Amino acid sequence: MGTLVKNGTVVSAEGSQRLDVLLDGETIREVAEGISPAGHTVVDATGLLVMPGAIDVHTHLDMPFGGTTSADDYTTGTQAAAVGGTTSVIDFALQNQSSTLNDALTTWLKKSEGKACVDFSLHMAVTNLHGENGVETLREMQEMVNFGITSFKLFMAYPNVLMINDSLMFQVMQKAAELNALCCIHAENGSAIDIVVSQMIAEGKTEPHYHALSRSPKAEAEATHRSIALADMAGCAVYIVHLSNEAALAELKFMQARGARALAETCTQYLVLSIEDQMPGKSWDEAKFVFTPPLREKKNQDPLWDALADGSLSVVSTDHCPFTMDQKALGKGDFRKIPNGGPGIENRLQILWHFGVNAGRITPEKFVSLACTAPARIFGMTQKGVIAPGKDADILLWDPNEDYTISAATQCMATDYSMFEGWKVKGNAKHVFSRGKQVVKDGKFVGEVGHGKFIKRIANAGGLD
Ligand SMILES: [Zn+2]
């Protein structure tokens, strides 16, 4: 006896078709027309789109930052993910500069232990190399891959905390190439940005607005180019995280055209929010939108949408890193101290559907590619991202006609604000299954804390090998 999702339209990255989907235990048993309901529990998907559970490859749950910790832990964060239609997240484990990758792994596995409501995996951020010529940490990279962590994050921003220099970046890239792993890059020139930041503070420009102005699109473009060029030299596949503007996009496309194995994501916020609309420099309230890279001028949005449509950008993630306004207040009077990050894990699909599909910028198939299938392929999640026999029964039943108003008052995320407060969107997650178990029913969370399991990923050089 299984669960039969009947009368829906199955949407994949390639096409859409009226098909029934039979879930058996934790996996999909059959995808076909007219599967007999005899002996099965039937979920009527009439009028609904049946998609693979979505994957958010960029989240920061329970993450220490600037003297505080992101507001969502693995429980609230993955509940919010589920309600938003996301059944897998990839979070970031961060190496302390004085410590090891294994220590970071232990710390993050502990944060997630028994707490996740949907499946999760980890990227490993390398911030320092230990041993002669880095030998100890480079050896640990092999151990991470063996464990199923096949992507390594490198920060080109945040000097003295997370930032790495070019020699460390190159060494990690060489090792990643050898391991067929993927390097994920936070591409901003942190050294140049820090000079501008201190100049602004010296001029008394301390409000949230100046956080955005201090981090030039050119600093992102420079680092985007440099990291891809170094990866190309090292023979490594690279994935630029949270690409936010047209100048950085031009560098990505330039290097892609030259044959570099370079992929990139953008995030929901860069597609629909802007300096002009959200942080014109009028109030402290704009601290809601202090994240890195910052919001950009509106003129960057269309090129990002175009890049999603033409394939130069492969994924839309969130960089979900939530802080309450109380936490943001740490930076009142000094934007350097505002915890960086915004809440978005719950709203990603609503925003991408409404402003992408409803607006005619992307097709439903492209939506599935950007939110589900490409993330699984790029990050080596072989059981996820497609609806096919034998794959995990992670299923999203999407109602393209539901009208929904986004509000902090009704969200699952732990923040006391929404970046999209009062926005009306059409299209919402109705039912969600995670490995065969229903975790969302009629838009409400019905899952179990602790259901989520660690996803062991394969090393496939971002699907480019
Ligand atoms: Zn991030």
Side-chain angles (χ1 to χ4, degrees):
M1 159 139 177
T3 300
L4 180 62
V5 178
K6 205 157 173 55
N7 304 320
T9 299
V10 174
V11 185
S12 74
E14 283 85 38
S16 301
Q17 204 182 341
R18 284 290 291 273
L19 292 168
D20 297 339
V21 182
L22 180 60
L23 319 183
D24 186 8
E26 296 198 342
T27 54
I28 297 167
R29 191 204 295 177
E30 191 181 356
V31 184
E33 281 178 78
I35 300 176
S36 164
H40 303 306
T41 306
V42 174
V43 176
D44 183 16
T46 303
L48 302 178
L49 305 179
V50 183
M51 303 174 177
I55 300 171
D56 191 340
V57 300
H58 192 155
T59 69
H60 300 281
L61 304 175
D62 201 356
M63 187 191 80
F65 191 99
T68 186
T69 304
S70 61
D72 277 314
D73 64 6
Y74 269 76
T75 296
T76 61
T78 55
Q79 277 174 356
V83 167
T86 293
T87 52
S88 307
V89 304
I90 311 184
D91 210 60
F92 288 85
L94 308 180
Q95 178 201 15
N96 266 330
Q97 284 181 336
S98 60
S99 176
T100 66
L101 303 187
N102 276 298
D103 286 340
L105 176 58
T106 304
T107 301
W108 256 265
L109 288 178
K110 202 163 186 175
K111 286 174 189 288
S112 59
E113 200 180 319
K115 294 188 78 173
C117 304
V118 299
D119 292 347
F120 64 96
S121 190
L122 292 165
H123 310 279
M124 178 58 65
V126 181
T127 59
N128 201 2
L129 296 183
H130 298 292
E132 199 171 341
N133 298 318
V135 62
E136 285 172 23
T137 309
L138 296 172
R139 190 191 60 238
E140 281 192 291
M141 285 176 64
Q142 171 80 66
E143 294 171 26
M144 295 301 124
V145 168
N146 294 346
F147 190 79
I149 295 176
T150 55
S151 45
F152 296 92
K153 172 87 172 277
L154 295 165
F155 287 89
M156 299 171 80
Y158 307 125
N160 306 318
V161 189
L162 296 167
M163 190 172 111
I164 43 81
N165 59 24
D166 288 357
S167 67
L168 189 153
M169 179 154 60
F170 191 67
Q171 275 180 288
V172 170
M173 284 171 164
Q174 283 185 320
K175 187 66 185 183
E178 185 190 319
L179 296 171
N180 221 23
L182 184 64
C183 282
C184 299
I185 310 292
H186 178 131
E188 279 189 305
N189 187 315
S191 306
I193 287 170
D194 263 24
I195 297 293
V196 179
V197 165
S198 50
Q199 287 165 347
M200 283 186 163
I201 294 290
E203 290 167 23
K205 296 172 174 170
T206 61
E207 294 85 7
H209 176 65
Y210 292 104
H211 169 84
L213 299 192
S214 69
R215 310 184 78 89
S216 165
K218 291 177 183 175
E220 186 181 338
E222 185 280 321
T224 300
H225 181 92
R226 177 159 41 106
S227 60
I228 299 173
L230 287 173
D232 195 35
M233 209 191 301
C236 155
V238 72
Y239 178 95
I240 307 296
V241 300
H242 50 43
L243 190 143
S244 73
N245 73 82
E246 191 177 12
L249 186 59
E251 299 297 342
L252 170 73
K253 288 183 178 177
F254 176 76
M255 291 305 288
Q256 284 174 334
R258 288 163 65 111
R261 292 191 299 164
L263 301 163
E265 66 179 18
T266 190
C267 306
T268 335
Q269 53 272 30
Y270 305 114
L271 293 167
V272 294
L273 307 179
S274 65
I275 292 183
E276 293 97 319
D277 289 347
Q278 274 69 38
M279 40 187 348
K282 298 219 161 72
S283 72
W284 159 252
D285 218 40
E286 295 170 16
K288 287 173 183 170
F289 304 100
V290 168
F291 38 74
T292 306
L295 284 183
R296 302 301 192 184
E297 290 177 74
K298 224 171 183 168
K299 65 180 181 189
N300 291 284
Q301 292 174 0
D302 279 345
L304 293 178
W305 282 110
D306 291 346
L308 293 175
D310 75 22
S312 32
L313 292 175
S314 307
V315 171
V316 175
S317 71
T318 60
D319 196 8
H320 175 76
C321 190
F323 296 100
T324 64
M325 287 311 280
D326 267 356
Q327 293 178 296
K328 292 272 184 184
L330 287 168
K332 252 190 173 161
D334 185 347
F335 71 74
R336 293 174 299 183
K337 298 188 177 130
I338 303 173
N340 279 201
I345 199 167
E346 196 168 339
N347 308 119
R348 178 175 63 127
L349 300 187
Q350 295 166 334
I351 297 288
L352 188 61
W353 185 268
H354 187 77
F355 294 94
V357 178
N358 291 350
R361 284 163 157 151
I362 56 170
T363 62
E365 291 77 17
K366 189 60 157 183
F367 173 90
V368 169
S369 173
L370 294 168
C372 319
T373 306
R377 184 186 67 242
I378 291 169
F379 289 97
M381 302 162 84
T382 54
Q383 282 300 104
K384 309 290 192 188
V386 285
I387 295 182
K391 300 292 180 184
D392 282 356
D394 290 359
I395 306 287
L396 163 61
L397 273 65
W398 183 258
D399 183 351
N401 293 311
E402 184 186 337
D403 291 305
Y404 188 85
T405 304
I406 299 173
S407 174
T410 50
Q411 73 189 9
C412 293
M413 297 183 290
T415 51
D416 50 356
Y417 74 93
S418 168
M419 297 198 290
F420 316 105
E421 184 65 39
W423 287 26
K424 293 182 188 340
V425 292
K426 191 188 266 296
N428 199 22
K430 188 172 178 66
H431 304 304
V432 181
F433 294 83
S434 164
R435 273 182 291 104
K437 187 173 179 353
Q438 188 157 11
V439 292
V440 174
K441 192 172 185 183
D442 291 315
K444 297 276 177 293
F445 182 75
V446 295
E448 255 171 50
V449 175
H451 165 79
K453 284 188 189 160
F454 179 78
I455 305 162
K456 201 169 153 61
R457 298 184 286 121
I458 62 161
N460 66 348
L464 299 168
D465 62 348

